[in-house]
Amino acid sequence: MNQSEHLLVEKNEGIALVTLNRPKQLNALNKALLSELSEVLESLRDATEIKVVLLTGAGEKAFVAGADIKEFASFNGAQGAELSKEGHLTVFNVIEEFPKPVIAAINGFALGGGLELAMSAHIRIASNNARMGLPETSLGLIPGYGGTQRLPQLIGKGRALEMIFSARMIDAETALNYGLVNQVVPQEKLLEAAQKMARSFMKNSIVAMGYAIESVNAGLLEGSLGYDVEVQAFGDCFETKDFKEGTQAFVEKRKPHFPGA
Ligand code: CAA
């Protein structure tokens, strides 16, 4: 296991488990934690042995209770905008565009920047005690780490704005009904469920998943031509070794062994 000040990183059989580790502050995202996370993401992106990344929070109470309010309480407008922009560029967009599946295992409160972090992941699994919300308007703010964009994409504009206006939390079952999370499991089974899902993905081509992520994201970005990106990415798949192996295995009636290239 690797440990930095605010993160634990465990790598096991192709899966990297990244645990945000400031439990006394409910894993609130301060600048130092985000900077460590940015570095870890960069190294996991390049690590060929890592196929899937899991994100979770330390302790039993919180995934992440938001951006660190104490750190930004005295910021002015320019500093606020910089905080948001840097977050997008170094962490949140990086996760959304990560070329391998990223699964958020939401083990408790996921509020503000915490829910925004989970929403930047490709998939969310919640423990049955999880509570999610965007409480920023209760602080005189709006969600600044992508929540105004990703929440409506996931649950629709009306429900998203209701959550933002009310600043209220929803429970795991409601999040499942809304489509905000993919699965809800008992807290003690959360990591097991995330690992099981990761392993089920790893039977398939991670390279192809990278292209799927790129194409899906392109369709959701305003002004971008998602179908064009899909056409190009589809064509690119034909040039990969994984494609050759996947189709060959089908023809030979055997399971594929993807080289991951
Ligand atoms: N920032 C900084 N510290 C936080 C925090 C946050 N977002 N959330 C919790 N903490 C700290 C508390 O200050 C407390 O620290 P101390 O013991 O040093 O006082 C510790 O974590 C434990 O929290 P509580 O005592 O408050 O625990 P609780 O069980 O009574 O309440 C809670 C839990 C309902 C989650 C409550 O902590 C809470 O409301 N937290 C803030 C949630 C929030 O507003 N998040 C949005 C942040 S703004 C944002 O994220 C902006 C953006 O989009 C970029």
Side-chain angles (χ1 to χ4, degrees):
M1 183 184 315
N2 294 335
Q3 180 160 8
S4 55
E5 195 184 348
H6 302 305
L7 294 180
L8 307 172
V9 183
E10 268 173 86
K11 298 178 188 170
N12 195 10
E13 294 180 357
I15 303 172
L17 171 63
V18 180
T19 305
L20 282 70
N21 190 26
R22 286 185 83 203
K24 286 192 183 133
Q25 302 297 305
L26 305 187
N27 305 318
L29 305 172
N30 62 5
K31 275 191 162 189
L33 186 155
L34 286 174
S35 148
E36 286 173 26
L37 183 55
S38 169
E39 274 176 32
V40 162
L41 288 168
E42 207 171 303
S43 79
L44 294 177
R45 190 178 43 209
D46 297 339
T48 47
E49 78 280 12
I50 296 301
K51 312 293 182 198
V52 180
V53 175
L54 310 183
L55 287 178
T56 197
E60 294 190 346
K61 194 167 168 184
F63 174 69
V64 172
D68 191 319
I69 301 169
K70 294 161 195 164
E71 199 175 61
F72 67 61
S74 63
F75 278 15
N76 62 25
Q79 290 169 306
E82 184 55 32
L83 182 79
S84 168
K85 188 172 166 193
E86 200 177 322
H88 285 296
L89 293 178
T90 62
V91 172
F92 294 78
N93 293 355
V94 173
I95 294 173
E96 184 171 66
E97 291 160 14
F98 210 70
K100 313 170 188 184
V102 181
I103 302 172
I106 305 173
N107 55 307
F109 289 114
L111 301 174
L115 180 56
E116 293 174 288
L117 186 71
M119 290 193 293
S120 68
H122 304 126
I123 301 223
R124 284 149 294 286
I125 303 180
S127 60
N128 50 3
N129 65 323
R131 307 196 63 200
M132 286 155 259
L134 291 179
E136 285 90 343
T137 58
S138 71
L139 298 162
L141 282 176
I142 64 166
Y145 283 149
T148 65
Q149 308 305 301
R150 295 189 182 108
L151 189 62
Q153 280 169 8
L154 286 165
I155 69 171
K157 182 176 165 184
R159 282 173 168 166
L161 284 174
E162 185 184 343
M163 281 181 69
I164 292 170
F165 294 166
S166 70
R168 277 206 299 267
M169 300 179 207
I170 59 172
D171 61 20
E173 281 306 318
T174 308
L176 185 65
N177 288 339
Y178 280 9
L180 181 54
V181 300
N182 299 58
Q183 200 183 335
V184 176
V185 294
Q187 183 163 42
E188 64 278 10
K189 299 257 186 280
L190 180 64
L191 285 183
E192 195 183 312
Q195 272 152 356
K196 188 172 169 205
M197 186 183 277
R199 282 194 298 273
S200 78
F201 294 166
M202 284 159 60
K203 291 188 193 124
N204 302 318
S205 166
I206 300 293
V207 176
M209 281 172 232
Y211 284 120
I213 290 164
E214 188 188 341
S215 301
V216 169
N217 286 345
L220 294 170
L221 283 178
E222 201 181 330
S224 93
L225 298 169
Y227 288 111
D228 289 353
V229 174
E230 185 189 81
V231 167
Q232 180 65 43
F234 185 70
D236 289 346
C237 288
F238 284 73
E239 300 295 329
T240 66
K241 294 195 174 95
D242 277 7
F243 168 75
K244 306 272 183 278
E245 167 61 11
T247 46
Q248 189 100 18
F250 177 80
V251 172
E252 292 169 8
K253 298 188 188 299
R254 60 172 173 81
K255 284 204 168 141
H257 301 287
F258 290 112

